Amino acid sequence: MDIEKIKELCGQSKIKWSSHASARIQQRGISREDVINCIMSGEIIEEYPEYWLNPACLIFGYSVNKMIIHVVVGVDDYIHIVTAYYPSEDKFEPDMKTRKER
């Protein structure tokens, strides 16, 4: 996956928000602006080439308020927002980029 392509699509507002993603970010206190800021400031930390929707990836980035967030996106001619969340040290190492072993 190519973060530059994802950023380009984001800059062109080629974003599709699923109802699931919209509900989840609202529940978690994450705004659409936070998701966009994460994508535009972010880096890919995991890839899911066989994801059911499209090839997808996990992006590490920052909210508008400089909090670390993760955004899962599927990519084709659009960015499909799957979900977004604040990572926790329960599941990630202190760098918030490396998933802990199960």
Side-chain angles (χ1 to χ4, degrees), residues 6 9-10 13-26 28 30-40 51-57 59 69-76 78-85:
I6 295 168
L9 291 170
C10 188
S13 297
K14 291 188 173 184
I15 304 171
K16 293 190 177 184
W17 302 84
S18 70
S19 57
H20 169 81
S22 295
R24 286 292 190 202
I25 66 172
Q26 184 177 17
R28 295 171 178 152
I30 298 170
S31 70
R32 287 185 176 206
E33 188 178 9
D34 289 330
V35 171
I36 291 168
N37 198 72
C38 175
I39 293 168
M40 296 305 285
Y51 191 72
W52 70 273
L53 178 64
N54 294 304
C57 64
I59 299 174
I69 62 172
H70 287 177
V71 177
V72 178
V73 300
V75 182
D76 54 21
Y78 287 84
I79 301 167
H80 300 266
I81 307 299
V82 176
T83 196
Y85 58 89

Side-chain angles (χ1 to χ4, degrees), residues 12 14-15 20 24 31 33 42 47 58 60-63 66-67 69 74 84 91:
Q12 296 170 356
K14 291 188 173 184
I15 304 171
H20 169 81
R24 286 292 190 202
S31 70
E33 188 178 9
E47 293 189 22
L58 176 62
F60 167 97
Y62 294 92
S63 69
K66 306 298 181 209
M67 294 180 64
I69 62 172
K91 295 185 180 181

